[in-house]
Amino acid sequence: MKKLPIGIQTFSKIRTEDYCYIDKTRNLFELVNSGTYFFLSRPRRFGKSLFLDTLREAFLGNKTLFEGLYLEKNWDWSKKHPVVRIDFGSGVLKSKEELEKKISDILFFHLETYELDPFKTQSISGNLEELIRNLQKKYSEKVVILIDEYDKPILDNITEKEIAREMRDGLRNLYSAIKGADAFNKFVFITGVSKFSKVNLFSGLNNLQDITLDERYATICGYTEEELSIFNERLFNVNRDELRLWYNGYNFLGDKVYNPFDILLFLDRKEYHNYWFETGNSSFLIHLIREYKYNSVEIENVKISEESLGAFDVDNIELEALLFQTGYLTIAEKFKVGSQIHYLLKYPNLEVKASLTEVILKFLTENKKIVNVKSELFQILQKSELSKMKDVFHSFFASIPHDWYRKNQLANYEGYYASIFYCYFTALGLDVRAEDVTNHGQVDLTVFLENNVYVFEFKVIEISEAGSALAQIKERRYYEKYLKSSGFLNSDNPLSIYLVGVEFSKDNKNITNYEWEKI
């Protein structure tokens, strides 16, 4: 079997050292032949850098690397173009000075590689424009510009607004030079995780085509179900439904794709694990959840306009847009509201859903007993011993230090209590549906395990209102939606339905009333 290209972003290495390669060169051909200036946003570790390096080798005319691929017989190999590649993927830049040093080093590297005369200009933007002009002059061919992780210097400082603004302004100065050298540009491709406002970052590049949600390029990164056939020998005896549940589900308005980083590591270890999630830094998301007092339950049912989804800036960050662009949410549905396009977002797969909610849970509680509570809850649900659940959660809430409530205003909001339940169940990897719609209204939380379904209603109440949570479930007959549902795991047995009403005291920060019954 060929080797798995885990962590390898160099096209030549994959092609010359007997690694598996899923042919994306048809996407490359179609892209290059449809315009000049392109922008693509995809989550980290999704294959962007490898695609850029593939572009680089094609424009440099290295035909032997493409033997047996689509591009071999669909490219003009007689032309070779100079390539400028700018990559911000390595290291963390913490000041404007560090950014300028990084850019200068990259530009001087190209100067030496192509044996050009020293720069005559003093500014960074001037140096880039001069480099492009001199390359075109020396090689009598237009220049290809590839920019990888264009936004990383900003995202690395997203919680430090002043530094993030400095990074944004410094990068805008660099990117403005690309427009100034338009007459000398053959092809420009810019990739990153997020999509910052054109006005604030690409003010000069008003001809930049955004292909992030272009159906024609939906699978330009990531692996489709069909493309996984290259790994068939390694996938022998693998439950494909379970594989899809864990790692598929990313939707960019075309065929759904797998996260390639996850797939390669799974094929290597044959063990389901949160490979992609654990390599990222989700602390900035927690910072924003705290800042905006965000109810984590709502992440299950995000509706957002096309305009809001497509761009944000340092001074105007929408958490939902950032969750989508960084890969924690994906598109579940596209629909119209009047003349405007809107999207329904959801978690892409089990890995992301379980992992992110566990991180949020740790933030919401600052409690050291999460693992123990998870184990107890799973056993309670598995055995349907719901009477024990009150004691588990009551003890849990009681263990949270009072000082935490004083420092975190989230606990003063009703969504906080529902979020704790939601995060626990979701972190267990269960099928959890928040605000599931019925013809009588919305269920706060529905949890499925094997052939059992648990319908939850949460309320923050005064003492005189005790019993209103369970009463609401029964009065509005939320459970009727599941009465005719069949069980899971190909079972012919109907679902057993349990109704659970949980009521909290805002003053006591704990459960004051807990009732349940089986339908």
Side-chain angles (χ1 to χ4, degrees), residues 218-463:
T219 62
I220 200 169
C221 294
Y223 297 159
T224 66
E225 193 72 45
E226 183 180 354
E227 288 171 336
L228 281 194
S229 61
I230 195 174
F231 304 118
N232 275 348
E233 195 171 354
R234 293 178 183 270
L235 286 168
F236 183 71
N237 281 339
V238 171
N239 184 319
R240 298 294 283 267
D241 288 335
E242 191 173 8
L243 189 70
R244 279 188 286 271
L245 177 67
W246 269 85
Y247 302 128
N248 198 357
Y250 291 93
N251 179 14
F252 302 101
L253 300 185
D255 290 340
K256 291 180 180 179
V257 292
Y258 288 89
N259 183 314
F261 186 74
D262 278 326
I263 286 295
L264 294 175
L265 283 171
F266 171 80
L267 292 174
D268 182 53
R269 303 180 191 179
K270 293 294 173 61
E271 181 179 343
Y272 290 103
H273 186 69
N274 57 343
Y275 300 112
W276 175 81
F277 188 91
E278 70 178 8
T279 62
N281 179 7
S282 55
S283 60
F284 73 96
L285 292 175
I286 297 303
H287 174 88
L288 293 173
I289 288 171
R290 178 192 293 117
E291 181 179 345
Y292 298 134
K293 302 178 179 62
Y294 197 81
N295 179 358
S296 60
V297 177
E298 295 176 0
I299 295 177
E300 280 274 40
N301 190 32
V302 172
K303 293 178 182 176
I304 189 170
S305 69
E306 183 178 42
E307 181 181 3
S308 297
L309 184 67
F312 65 94
D313 192 44
V314 175
D315 300 311
N316 181 29
I317 297 175
E318 288 203 39
L319 179 60
E320 294 90 347
L322 195 56
L323 284 166
F324 167 73
Q325 294 175 9
T326 49
Y328 296 103
L329 292 178
T330 195
I331 295 173
E333 182 183 344
K334 178 182 178 181
F335 59 97
K336 276 197 169 185
V337 177
S339 61
Q340 282 193 326
I341 294 175
H342 281 64
Y343 298 100
L344 174 65
L345 306 181
K346 67 171 185 178
Y347 288 110
N349 51 46
L350 180 58
E351 179 205 15
V352 177
K353 184 175 182 178
S355 300
L356 182 58
T357 48
E358 179 144 4
V359 169
I360 294 172
L361 181 61
K362 290 176 181 177
F363 155 67
L364 288 174
T365 63
E366 288 193 354
N367 190 272
K368 306 299 183 184
K369 300 180 180 179
I370 288 175
V371 174
N372 293 338
V373 175
K374 283 169 60 178
S375 178
E376 287 183 75
L377 284 177
F378 188 79
Q379 292 179 29
I380 287 170
L381 290 176
Q382 202 170 41
K383 298 176 181 178
S384 298
E385 296 176 336
L386 296 190
S387 297
K388 296 180 180 180
M389 188 179 295
K390 177 187 177 181
D391 293 336
V392 171
F393 274 111
H394 192 280
S395 175
F396 170 77
F397 282 112
S399 71
I400 299 175
H402 179 75
D403 190 55
W404 188 95
Y405 292 110
R406 182 181 60 81
K407 294 184 296 184
N408 293 273
Q409 294 301 308
L410 273 170
N412 292 327
Y413 291 81
E414 292 186 9
Y416 168 76
Y417 302 100
S419 293
I420 298 295
F421 276 76
Y422 167 80
C423 288
Y424 261 120
F425 295 139
T426 305
L428 281 167
L430 302 179
D431 182 357
V432 182
R433 303 174 194 177
E435 299 180 347
D436 199 8
V437 178
T438 75
N439 58 353
H440 300 292
Q442 287 186 331
V443 184
D444 279 351
L445 204 66
T446 312
V447 180
F448 297 84
L449 176 61
E450 298 171 352
N451 281 71
N452 296 334
V453 57
Y454 304 91
V455 181
F456 287 85
E457 181 71 23
F458 304 102
K459 286 188 178 297
V460 176
I461 64 165
E462 301 295 335
I463 299 299

Side-chain angles (χ1 to χ4, degrees), residues 39-274:
F39 170 84
L40 175 71
S41 168
R42 284 292 186 272
R44 58 185 172 78
R45 294 189 177 273
F46 229 83
K48 302 185 299 295
S49 298
L50 176 58
F51 187 79
L52 251 72
D53 201 57
T54 309
L55 277 165
R56 175 178 169 275
E57 296 291 1
F59 279 112
L60 289 175
N62 293 325
K63 182 180 179 180
T64 57
L65 297 177
F66 294 85
E67 289 180 1
L69 302 181
Y70 177 85
L71 208 64
E72 180 188 10
K73 298 179 180 179
N74 294 280
W75 191 259
D76 184 357
W77 297 106
S78 65
K79 286 191 175 183
K80 299 185 178 184
H81 295 269
V83 178
V84 175
R85 179 166 180 173
I86 299 173
D87 186 356
F88 292 109
S90 61
V92 176
L93 306 175
K94 288 296 183 181
S95 68
K96 180 181 178 182
E97 291 72 28
E98 289 183 10
L99 175 64
E100 291 177 346
K101 174 73 165 52
K102 174 79 170 181
I103 296 171
S104 293
D105 288 346
I106 293 172
L107 297 182
F108 275 100
F109 169 79
H110 285 82
L111 200 71
E112 293 176 358
T113 301
Y114 287 106
E115 299 180 343
L116 298 174
D117 294 333
F119 292 125
K120 295 178 182 178
T121 56
Q122 299 299 314
S123 68
I124 285 175
S125 60
N127 287 349
L128 177 57
E129 191 169 343
E130 186 180 335
L131 175 64
I132 296 169
R133 290 173 184 269
N134 289 342
L135 283 172
Q136 194 278 334
K137 182 178 180 180
K138 180 174 181 177
Y139 293 95
S140 299
E141 290 289 353
K142 290 187 176 182
V143 180
V144 173
I145 303 167
L146 306 174
I147 300 178
D148 199 8
E149 304 289 358
Y150 87 99
D151 53 344
K152 189 173 182 294
I154 306 174
L155 289 181
D156 283 344
N157 298 281
I158 200 68
T159 59
E160 302 292 335
K161 293 289 181 70
E162 193 55 44
I163 299 175
R165 290 188 195 101
E166 288 184 358
M167 295 295 178
R168 177 196 64 193
D169 295 343
L171 291 171
R172 179 172 55 197
N173 183 40
L174 174 68
Y175 301 146
S176 66
I178 299 174
K179 177 67 173 180
D182 176 62
F184 309 96
N185 296 333
K186 167 65 178 176
F187 185 81
V188 177
F189 193 57
I190 300 174
T191 76
V193 168
S194 60
K195 182 187 173 186
F196 280 89
S197 168
K198 282 186 181 181
V199 174
N200 291 318
L201 193 54
F202 296 121
S203 54
L205 282 171
N206 52 10
N207 54 348
L208 196 62
Q209 295 183 56
D210 180 11
I211 61 170
T212 300
L213 293 180
D214 187 325
E215 183 179 350
R216 295 172 296 176
Y217 306 107
T219 62
I220 200 169
C221 294
Y223 297 159
T224 66
E225 193 72 45
E226 183 180 354
E227 288 171 336
L228 281 194
S229 61
I230 195 174
F231 304 118
N232 275 348
E233 195 171 354
R234 293 178 183 270
L235 286 168
F236 183 71
N237 281 339
V238 171
N239 184 319
R240 298 294 283 267
D241 288 335
E242 191 173 8
L243 189 70
R244 279 188 286 271
L245 177 67
W246 269 85
Y247 302 128
N248 198 357
Y250 291 93
N251 179 14
F252 302 101
L253 300 185
D255 290 340
K256 291 180 180 179
V257 292
Y258 288 89
N259 183 314
F261 186 74
D262 278 326
I263 286 295
L264 294 175
L265 283 171
F266 171 80
L267 292 174
D268 182 53
R269 303 180 191 179
K270 293 294 173 61
E271 181 179 343
Y272 290 103
H273 186 69
N274 57 343

